Amino acid sequence: MSFQPILITEVELSEPLIELSNENSTNKIPYAAAMLVVRLHHAIIGTIKIPFDSPVLKPLDYAAEIWAQLATEINLHLRQDELQSITDLSLDGIQMQCKPKCVSSLNNFLEDAPFVSVVVCTHDRTRFLKESLPHLLALNYPNYEVIVVDNAPSTSETYDFIQAEYQGNDMVRYTREDQAGLSWARNCGIRHARADYIAFTDDDTVVDPYWLAYLIRNFFDTEEVACVTGLALPLELEYEAQVWFEQFGGFDNGFKRLVFDMDINRDDHVLYPYTVAQYGAGVNMAFRTDILRKLNGFIVRISQADDISMFVKIITNGYRIVYEPNGFVYHKHREDYEGLRRQIYNYGVGLSLYLTHMIVSDWTWLFRVVPRIPKAILHFLSSQSSKNENKEAGYPSELTWLERKGLLAGPIKYWQYARKIRGLHSSVEKETS
């Protein structure tokens, strides 16, 4: 059976439900199913997938499915808002006589919210910035700046675009980092950040209007928080490669707020705190700027794994990470298979780079991890593990092997990067001597 795309659409339960059509304006292939991003009072409750059995999905049909799958989560949210539980989902939406507690609480925070630097790193992808920047500048947040870091550009296209569209806009700042690599770009953003809090997202995301509000509020709701990460949902599932990336794991860490540290919030996984995927992803993360600087920023020799390395560094230095699903973004996954192949391979390289760095930095770390290796291998290879359980029958086996190939290449890449950095340092020393 040929591939059919999946519609991504939001359903706000406090509003009347509407009919959904399987018409597709992107590639003209009718949608086979809809992935409903279910929200209540701005908060995200969960997602459900429901097939289009006819060209139109009626509210009565999908309301019943939402209730069947998410009734517990809906009533939990209502109870947390000190509102009465419900027994079914009305097609007119969940109507309340007063403003929900969660909305009032968020609005109260926004009245005195701190200044934030939002960093977007880009490399020759002006077309993505043209889509992402308007959303970043329309956030429901009172006080922030957007720093565009142009990383080793081959042309002046991004600079010209920023100058043409945002010259005179004090919220948008452009800077350039000529050393190629995401870590170099992120560290450049840290150097130029003027705020006490710094948030990172990618140039191929569409941020939710409340993204920054939900992330930053967590620094005040929980003590010793140095980092807050958020959910990243697919912006579209129009192409088979995008669906395969979701089956690989995507950026979905679930819809429950989580706290991680080395004390009472330890995960019971045998590899904790090195189970890096659970903390979040670099596509959606925020930090206290002073702690990022104290920890010397991101490690440039493991640029493909700089985010996971930073997460572990934060945990092992006695700070906390909060995963906040309500601070979410939509991510535009790669459309073409070749792009997905490179991405999966680089994920394998990134994980292996990180492991190599840990061993080189502290050889005793290896002895702490060795007893955990058999279970780690089982987690990585087993089709029943949480890592692989979402891969469906049509998932290309080549992608699985490419990730493993990347793992084997990681140590070689590490030494190549280390030699390159030593060369850069030698060049700087000669220029300054």
Side-chain angles (χ1 to χ4, degrees):
M1 183 177 178
S2 60
F3 170 76
Q4 284 186 277
I6 298 169
L7 172 69
I8 309 289
T9 188
E10 292 188 0
V11 176
E12 170 55 59
L13 298 182
S14 64
E15 300 173 357
L17 307 185
I18 62 173
E19 289 186 348
L20 303 175
S21 171
N22 74 343
E23 290 186 7
N24 184 349
S25 61
T26 300
N27 56 27
K28 309 304 180 183
I29 304 173
Y31 290 112
M35 177 177 144
L36 308 183
V37 180
V38 182
R39 307 183 70 169
L40 180 56
H41 310 144
H42 310 315
I44 187 164
I45 302 298
T47 61
I48 70 166
K49 183 179 175 183
I50 186 167
F52 277 104
D53 294 326
S54 63
V56 174
L57 191 58
K58 296 187 178 297
L60 184 63
D61 298 327
Y62 71 80
E65 193 62 31
I66 289 174
W67 186 249
Q69 295 190 36
L70 297 175
T72 300
E73 290 78 5
I74 292 169
N75 276 324
L76 175 62
H77 179 91
L78 292 173
R79 287 195 299 273
Q80 290 173 340
D81 269 347
E82 299 178 359
L83 299 171
Q84 187 173 355
S85 298
I86 59 176
T87 56
D88 59 16
L89 187 58
S90 168
L91 303 187
D92 294 325
I94 302 173
Q95 303 297 321
M96 299 296 165
Q97 299 300 317
C98 58
K99 183 177 290 187
K101 182 179 177 181
C102 64
V103 174
S104 298
S105 175
L106 194 62
N107 288 341
N108 289 339
F109 168 73
L110 290 173
E111 288 180 2
D112 193 29
F115 181 51
V116 179
S117 295
V118 177
V119 174
V120 183
C121 303
T122 189
H123 169 71
D124 291 346
R125 303 211 303 183
T126 310
R127 69 189 189 280
F128 288 114
L129 279 178
K130 290 178 178 179
E131 296 182 16
S132 63
L133 275 179
H135 294 276
L136 281 168
L137 295 174
L139 289 170
N140 192 340
Y141 197 88
N143 193 17
Y144 65 102
E145 63 178 358
V146 177
I147 303 172
V148 177
V149 180
D150 201 2
N151 185 213
S154 61
T155 71
S156 65
E157 185 180 5
T158 295
Y159 172 79
D160 294 340
F161 163 67
I162 297 296
Q163 286 294 105
E165 296 295 325
Y166 298 104
Q167 187 175 27
N169 187 332
D170 292 338
M171 290 182 65
V172 180
R173 298 169 59 203
Y174 171 92
T175 187
R176 175 171 170 150
E177 171 54 61
D178 287 327
Q179 288 296 336
L182 186 54
S183 297
W184 291 97
R186 284 173 172 164
N187 287 340
C188 177
I190 295 170
R191 290 195 302 273
H192 285 83
R194 298 183 295 192
D196 291 335
Y197 300 90
I198 183 169
F200 293 88
T201 191
D202 290 355
D203 57 8
D204 53 2
T205 63
V206 171
V207 296
D208 180 73
Y210 291 91
W211 166 66
L212 201 56
Y214 275 114
L215 288 190
I216 301 302
R217 187 175 68 168
N218 277 277
F219 288 103
F220 300 87
D221 287 349
T222 305
E223 293 181 354
E224 298 299 324
V225 173
C227 172
V228 181
T229 64
L231 175 67
L233 294 170
L235 177 64
E236 61 182 22
L237 293 175
E238 300 286 344
Y239 303 93
E240 200 162 22
Q242 295 174 327
V243 173
W244 285 334
F245 181 70
E246 282 296 294
Q247 292 178 16
F248 171 76
F251 300 117
D252 185 351
N253 286 65
F255 305 99
K256 181 181 178 182
R257 180 181 182 272
L258 301 170
V259 180
F260 301 99
D261 59 31
M262 293 299 288
D263 192 13
I264 61 173
N265 297 296
R266 291 179 63 98
D267 189 276
D268 59 3
H269 195 285
V270 66
L271 295 176
Y272 187 85
Y274 308 111
T275 44
V276 289
Q278 67 183 329
Y279 300 129
V283 69
N284 185 1
M285 56 185 182
F287 300 88
R288 278 178 47 190
T289 310
D290 62 333
I291 292 178
L292 272 186
R293 290 170 176 161
K294 178 181 177 181
L295 297 177
N296 298 315
F298 294 94
I299 302 173
V300 294
R301 71 178 60 188
I302 55 171
S303 191
Q304 290 159 293
D306 64 350
D307 51 354
I308 62 177
S309 173
M310 180 58 70
F311 297 151
V312 173
K313 196 187 299 187
I314 283 172
I315 291 289
T316 54
N317 274 273
Y319 301 108
R320 288 195 174 107
I321 296 175
V322 174
Y323 170 72
E324 173 54 80
N326 288 318
F328 76 96
V329 303
Y330 288 103
H331 179 260
K332 184 175 176 62
H333 300 341
R334 286 163 174 77
E335 300 174 0
D336 61 298
Y337 183 66
E338 185 55 37
L340 179 62
R341 290 179 76 255
R342 291 193 299 270
Q343 183 179 21
I344 299 300
Y345 172 78
N346 284 330
Y347 279 165
V349 170
L351 178 57
S352 189
L353 278 173
Y354 164 71
L355 295 174
T356 304
H357 171 75
M358 293 296 289
I359 295 169
V360 171
S361 301
D362 179 8
W363 62 270
T364 63
W365 179 85
L366 183 61
F367 295 99
R368 296 196 297 272
V369 172
V370 163
R372 311 177 187 186
I373 288 177
K375 289 190 176 181
I377 293 174
L378 183 64
H379 174 76
F380 196 83
L381 299 181
S382 173
S383 61
Q384 305 303 313
S385 72
S386 58
K387 174 176 174 51
N388 299 308
E389 63 184 1
N390 292 322
K391 295 177 181 177
E392 298 181 4
Y395 184 85
S397 59
E398 180 192 32
L399 295 178
T400 299
W401 287 107
L402 278 170
E403 184 184 15
R404 295 170 186 174
K405 183 179 178 181
L407 272 172
L408 295 175
I412 299 172
K413 295 281 187 181
Y414 180 86
W415 295 114
Q416 289 174 341
Y417 294 154
R419 188 164 58 247
K420 176 183 176 182
I421 291 166
R422 284 196 296 270
L424 290 172
H425 288 165
S426 297
S427 298
V428 171
E429 289 172 2
K430 288 178 181 179
E431 290 175 2
T432 56
S433 61

